[in-house]
Coordinates of all heavy atoms in Angstrom, one line a residue:
I1394 N 100.8 103.5 112.2 CA 100.5 102.2 112.8 C 100.0 101.2 111.7 O 100.4 100.1 111.6 CB 99.4 102.4 113.8 CG1 100.0 103.2 115.0 CG2 98.8 101.1 114.3 CD1 98.9 103.5 116.1
L1395 N 99.1 101.7 110.8 CA 98.6 100.9 109.7 C 99.7 100.5 108.8 O 99.9 99.3 108.4 CB 97.5 101.6 109.0 CG 97.0 100.8 107.7 CD1 96.4 99.4 108.1 CD2 95.9 101.6 107.0
D1396 N 100.6 101.4 108.4 CA 101.7 101.2 107.5 C 102.6 100.0 108.0 O 103.0 99.2 107.2 CB 102.5 102.4 107.2 CG 101.9 103.3 106.1 OD1 100.9 102.8 105.5 OD2 102.4 104.4 105.8
S1397 N 102.8 100.0 109.3 CA 103.7 99.0 109.8 C 103.0 97.6 109.6 O 103.7 96.6 109.5 CB 104.0 99.2 111.3 OG 102.8 99.0 112.1
M1398 N 101.7 97.5 109.7 CA 101.0 96.3 109.6 C 100.8 95.8 108.1 O 100.3 94.7 107.9 CB 99.6 96.4 110.3 CG 99.7 96.8 111.8 SD 98.2 97.3 112.5 CE 97.3 95.8 112.6
L1399 N 101.2 96.7 107.2 CA 101.0 96.3 105.8 C 102.3 95.8 105.2 O 102.3 95.3 104.0 CB 100.6 97.6 105.0 CG 99.2 98.2 105.3 CD1 99.0 99.5 104.5 CD2 98.1 97.2 105.0
Q1400 N 103.4 95.9 105.9 CA 104.7 95.6 105.3 C 105.0 94.1 105.3 O 104.8 93.4 106.3 CB 105.8 96.3 106.1 CG 105.6 97.8 106.1 CD 105.3 98.4 104.7 OE1 106.1 98.3 103.8 NE2 104.3 99.2 104.6
G1401 N 105.6 93.6 104.2 CA 106.1 92.2 104.2 C 105.0 91.2 104.2 O 103.9 91.3 103.6
Y1402 N 105.2 90.0 104.9 CA 104.4 88.9 104.8 C 104.1 88.3 106.2 O 104.9 88.5 107.1 CB 105.0 87.8 103.9 CG 105.3 88.3 102.5 CD1 106.5 89.0 102.2 CD2 104.4 88.1 101.5 CE1 106.8 89.5 101.0 CE2 104.6 88.6 100.2 CZ 105.8 89.3 100.0 OH 106.1 89.8 98.7
I1403 N 103.0 87.6 106.3 CA 102.6 86.9 107.6 C 102.7 85.4 107.3 O 102.1 84.9 106.4 CB 101.2 87.3 108.0 CG1 101.2 88.8 108.4 CG2 100.8 86.4 109.2 CD1 102.0 89.2 109.6
L1404 N 103.5 84.7 108.2 CA 103.5 83.3 108.2 C 102.5 82.8 109.3 O 102.7 83.0 110.5 CB 104.9 82.7 108.5 CG 105.1 81.2 108.3 CD1 106.6 81.0 108.2 CD2 104.6 80.4 109.5
P1405 N 101.4 82.1 108.9 CA 100.4 81.7 109.9 C 100.7 80.3 110.4 O 101.4 79.5 109.7 CB 99.1 81.7 109.1 CG 99.5 81.4 107.7 CD 101.0 81.9 107.5
L1406 N 100.1 80.0 111.5 CA 100.2 78.6 112.0 C 99.5 77.7 111.1 O 98.4 77.9 110.6 CB 99.5 78.5 113.4 CG 99.6 77.2 114.1 CD1 101.0 76.8 114.5 CD2 98.8 77.2 115.4
W1407 N 100.2 76.6 110.7 CA 99.7 75.7 109.6 C 98.8 74.6 110.0 O 98.3 73.9 109.2 CB 100.9 75.2 108.8 CG 102.0 74.6 109.7 CD1 102.1 73.2 110.0 CD2 103.0 75.2 110.4 NE1 103.1 73.1 110.9 CE2 103.7 74.3 111.1 CE3 103.4 76.6 110.5 CZ2 104.8 74.6 111.9 CZ3 104.5 76.9 111.3 CH2 105.2 75.9 112.0
A1408 N 98.6 74.4 111.3 CA 97.7 73.4 111.8 C 97.3 73.8 113.2 O 97.9 74.5 114.0 CB 98.4 72.0 111.8
D1409 N 96.1 73.3 113.6 CA 95.6 73.5 115.0 C 96.6 72.8 116.0 O 97.1 71.7 115.7 CB 94.2 72.8 115.2 CG 93.1 73.6 114.6 OD1 93.3 74.8 114.2 OD2 92.0 73.1 114.5
V1410 N 96.8 73.4 117.1 CA 97.6 72.8 118.2 C 96.9 73.1 119.5 O 96.4 74.2 119.8 CB 99.0 73.3 118.2 CG1 99.1 74.9 118.4 CG2 99.9 72.6 119.2
W1411 N 96.8 72.0 120.3 CA 96.1 72.1 121.6 C 97.3 72.2 122.7 O 98.2 71.4 122.6 CB 95.3 70.9 121.9 CG 94.5 71.0 123.2 CD1 94.9 70.5 124.4 CD2 93.3 71.7 123.5 NE1 94.0 70.8 125.4 CE2 93.1 71.6 124.8 CE3 92.5 72.5 122.7 CZ2 91.9 72.2 125.4 CZ3 91.4 73.1 123.3 CH2 91.1 72.9 124.6
V1412 N 97.1 73.2 123.5 CA 98.1 73.4 124.6 C 97.5 73.0 125.9 O 96.4 73.4 126.3 CB 98.6 74.8 124.6 CG1 99.7 75.0 125.7 CG2 99.1 75.3 123.3
S1413 N 98.3 72.2 126.7 CA 97.8 71.7 128.0 C 98.9 71.8 129.0 O 100.1 71.7 128.6 CB 97.2 70.3 127.9 OG 98.1 69.4 127.4
P1414 N 98.6 71.9 130.3 CA 99.7 71.9 131.3 C 100.4 70.5 131.4 O 99.7 69.5 131.2 CB 99.0 72.3 132.6 CG 97.6 72.8 132.2 CD 97.3 72.1 130.9
S1415 N 101.6 70.5 131.7 CA 102.3 69.3 131.9 C 102.1 68.8 133.4 O 101.6 69.6 134.2 CB 103.8 69.5 131.7 OG 104.3 70.4 132.6
E1416 N 102.4 67.6 133.6 CA 102.2 67.0 135.0 C 103.0 67.7 136.0 O 102.5 67.9 137.2 CB 102.5 65.5 135.0 CG 101.5 64.7 134.2 CD 101.8 63.2 134.3 OE1 102.8 62.8 135.0 OE2 101.1 62.4 133.6
D1417 N 104.2 68.2 135.6 CA 105.0 68.9 136.6 C 104.7 70.4 136.7 O 105.2 71.1 137.5 CB 106.5 68.7 136.3 CG 106.9 69.2 134.9 OD1 106.1 69.9 134.3 OD2 108.0 68.8 134.4
G1418 N 103.8 70.8 135.8 CA 103.3 72.2 135.8 C 104.4 73.2 135.4 O 104.3 74.4 135.6
I1419 N 105.4 72.7 134.7 CA 106.5 73.6 134.2 C 106.4 74.0 132.8 O 106.2 75.2 132.4 CB 107.9 73.0 134.5 CG1 108.0 72.7 136.0 CG2 109.0 73.9 134.0 CD1 109.3 72.0 136.4
A1420 N 106.6 73.0 131.9 CA 106.5 73.3 130.5 C 105.2 72.8 129.9 O 104.7 71.7 130.2 CB 107.7 72.6 129.8
P1421 N 104.6 73.6 129.0 CA 103.3 73.2 128.4 C 103.5 72.0 127.4 O 104.6 71.8 126.9 CB 102.8 74.4 127.7 CG 104.1 75.2 127.4 CD 105.0 74.9 128.5
V1422 N 102.4 71.3 127.2 CA 102.5 70.2 126.2 C 101.7 70.6 125.0 O 100.6 71.1 125.1 CB 101.8 68.9 126.9 CG1 101.7 67.8 125.8 CG2 102.6 68.5 128.1
F1423 N 102.3 70.3 123.8 CA 101.6 70.7 122.6 C 101.2 69.5 121.8 O 102.0 68.6 121.6 CB 102.6 71.5 121.7 CG 103.1 72.8 122.3 CD1 104.2 72.9 123.1 CD2 102.3 74.0 122.0 CE1 104.6 74.1 123.7 CE2 102.7 75.2 122.6 CZ 103.8 75.2 123.4
T1424 N 99.9 69.4 121.5 CA 99.3 68.3 120.8 C 98.8 68.8 119.5 O 97.9 69.6 119.4 CB 98.2 67.6 121.6 OG1 98.7 67.2 122.9 CG2 97.7 66.4 120.8
W1425 N 99.3 68.3 118.4 CA 98.9 68.7 117.1 C 97.7 68.0 116.6 O 97.4 66.9 117.1 CB 100.0 68.6 116.0 CG 101.2 69.4 116.3 CD1 102.3 69.2 117.1 CD2 101.4 70.7 115.8 NE1 103.1 70.2 117.1 CE2 102.6 71.2 116.3 CE3 100.7 71.6 114.9 CZ2 103.2 72.4 116.0 CZ3 101.3 72.8 114.6 CH2 102.5 73.3 115.1
A1426 N 97.0 68.6 115.6 CA 95.8 67.9 115.1 C 96.2 66.6 114.4 O 97.4 66.4 114.1 CB 95.1 68.8 114.0
E1427 N 95.2 65.7 114.3 CA 95.5 64.3 113.9 C 96.3 64.2 112.6 O 97.2 63.4 112.5 CB 94.2 63.5 113.7 CG 94.4 62.1 113.4 CD 93.1 61.4 113.1 OE1 92.0 62.0 113.3 OE2 93.1 60.2 112.7
G1428 N 96.0 65.0 111.6 CA 96.7 64.9 110.3 C 98.1 65.2 110.4 O 99.0 64.7 109.7
V1429 N 98.5 66.1 111.4 CA 99.9 66.4 111.6 C 100.6 65.3 112.3 O 101.8 65.0 112.1 CB 100.0 67.8 112.3 CG1 101.5 68.1 112.5 CG2 99.3 68.9 111.6
D1430 N 99.9 64.7 113.3 CA 100.5 63.7 114.1 C 100.9 62.4 113.3 O 101.5 61.5 113.9 CB 99.6 63.3 115.3 CG 99.6 64.4 116.4 OD1 100.6 65.1 116.4 OD2 98.7 64.4 117.1
R1431 N 100.4 62.3 112.1 CA 100.7 61.1 111.3 C 102.1 61.1 110.8 O 102.5 60.1 110.1 CB 99.7 61.0 110.1 CG 98.3 60.7 110.5 CD 97.4 60.8 109.3 NE 96.0 60.6 109.7 CZ 95.0 61.0 109.0 NH1 95.2 61.6 107.8 NH2 93.7 60.8 109.4
G1432 N 102.9 62.1 111.1 CA 104.3 62.1 110.7 C 104.6 62.4 109.3 O 105.5 61.9 108.6
E1433 N 103.7 63.3 108.7 CA 103.9 63.7 107.3 C 105.2 64.6 107.1 O 105.6 64.7 106.0 CB 102.7 64.4 106.8 CG 101.5 63.5 106.8 CD 100.2 64.3 106.4 OE1 100.3 65.5 106.4 OE2 99.2 63.6 106.1
A1434 N 105.7 65.1 108.2 CA 106.9 65.9 108.1 C 108.1 65.1 108.6 O 108.0 64.2 109.3 CB 106.7 67.2 108.9

Side-chain angles (χ1 to χ4, degrees):
I1394 293 177
L1395 176 60
D1396 274 355
S1397 73
M1398 300 167 74
L1399 295 175
Q1400 304 308 306
Y1402 302 86
I1403 294 294
L1404 190 160
L1406 184 63
W1407 49 96
D1409 282 351
V1410 60
W1411 183 263
V1412 184
S1413 55
S1415 60
E1416 291 184 1
D1417 59 15
I1419 299 177
V1422 176
F1423 296 90
T1424 304
W1425 294 86
E1427 181 184 357
V1429 181
D1430 284 340
R1431 291 174 185 161
E1433 294 175 347

